[in-house]
Amino acid sequence: MKTIKLFAFLMAMVIAMPAAAQQVKVLGKSGNTSTATTKKATTATAKKSAAPKQSSSASHSSDYSIEGWQGGAGIMYQIADNFNAFGLHARLMYGINEEMRLSIMDEFYFKDGLSYLDNLDFDFHYLFNVADNIHVYPFGGATIQLSKSKDVTMSVPDIDNNGNIIYTNQTFGGESMSAFGLNLGCGVQYAITDQVAICAEAKYRFYFKENYKGQFVLGAGVVYHF
């Protein structure tokens, strides 16, 4: 009788084991799914927190850099005692940083009676950013003026072999002059794009040479950042 009971118990265990194993397998899958879901949620949250925030403000309309090489050209007007003249200029500048800049400017003026009138300026600019895309810059430096008067043709009296007075035309070369001086002035620059700006300047020049008058100069032009 005991043998029959033991045999029945063992048979019941054999029948019950597959069902128990199946239940454990199901529970195991459920646990893995829950863990995977948790991992996905954690990863999504981390990505969301790591994503850069979008700025609500609009980007600046221009990002003109003062640093580096810049070139430009424009017009000039020189005012002096009985010596006003229009001219053109070309310049090359190098921005050391966002505040300091070096400039070389060549100014060529058109003046009656002169073959040429040229000023070569070497200036230092210090820039103040006063508003969006607008810089104001006082500047100063050295200037060299080179000029030459036009050749002059004159009728010169002479006496021929018969003692008669005759006139002959003779051409005299123009006189070349040069003078060294200083510039002091101020300018304003407005950036139109990331590479192009317009500027206007006013300056006063005085020379270390006798009979050379001081000059007030106005100018305007375009600047291009290479």
Side-chain angles (χ1 to χ4, degrees):
M1 189 67 178
K2 289 182 178 181
T3 302
I4 294 173
K5 289 182 178 181
L6 179 61
F7 179 77
F9 175 75
L10 292 175
M11 289 297 295
M13 290 292 295
V14 171
I15 294 171
M17 283 179 63
Q22 185 67 25
Q23 184 68 23
V24 171
K25 187 175 181 180
V26 172
L27 290 175
K29 286 185 177 180
S30 300
N32 290 340
T33 303
S34 177
T35 303
T37 303
T38 303
K39 287 183 178 180
K40 288 182 180 179
T42 304
T43 304
T45 303
K47 288 183 178 180
K48 185 176 180 180
S49 61
K53 294 182 178 180
Q54 298 294 327
S55 176
S56 58
S57 60
S59 59
H60 203 274
S61 60
S62 176
D63 191 22
Y64 187 96
S65 175
I66 302 300
E67 297 180 357
W69 290 102
Q70 303 155 60
I75 59 174
M76 310 294 295
Y77 185 65
Q78 183 182 109
I79 303 171
D81 291 343
N82 299 320
F83 203 75
N84 299 349
F86 279 102
L88 302 174
H89 79 258
R91 76 193 316 172
L92 180 65
M93 299 184 290
Y94 179 75
I96 302 171
N97 53 39
E98 287 294 332
E99 290 82 29
M100 295 182 287
R101 184 169 65 187
L102 300 176
S103 170
I104 300 176
M105 176 185 285
D106 186 23
E107 304 171 13
F108 186 86
Y109 293 92
F110 305 95
K111 182 67 177 176
D112 292 339
L114 295 178
S115 295
Y116 63 81
L117 174 60
D118 192 86
N119 268 90
L120 191 60
D121 292 350
F122 305 87
D123 294 320
F124 172 80
H125 299 178
Y126 195 90
L127 297 99
F128 297 92
N129 188 199
V130 297
D132 286 349
N133 305 332
I134 300 177
H135 287 83
V136 172
Y137 54 96
F139 63 88
T143 183
I144 300 173
Q145 186 176 90
L146 304 172
S147 63
K148 182 182 179 181
S149 58
K150 289 183 177 180
D151 296 343
V152 178
T153 301
M154 300 177 61
S155 295
V156 179
D158 198 2
I159 300 176
D160 62 12
N161 294 332
N162 298 322
N164 298 319
I165 298 176
I166 60 174
Y167 290 88
T168 59
N169 292 330
Q170 295 186 17
T171 300
F172 300 91
E175 181 183 3
S176 297
M177 296 172 287
S178 62
F180 175 80
L182 296 178
N183 290 314
L184 290 175
C186 188
V188 59
Q189 178 173 298
Y190 175 72
I192 302 174
T193 70
D194 291 351
Q195 290 183 291
V196 179
I198 56 175
C199 63
E201 295 179 356
K203 61 186 173 184
Y204 183 78
R205 281 198 288 245
F206 58 93
Y207 299 94
F208 302 107
K209 187 171 184 178
E210 190 177 358
N211 298 326
Y212 262 71
K213 302 290 186 180
Q215 300 161 355
F216 184 67
V217 183
L218 300 174
V222 178
V223 178
Y224 181 81
H225 191 286
F226 299 111

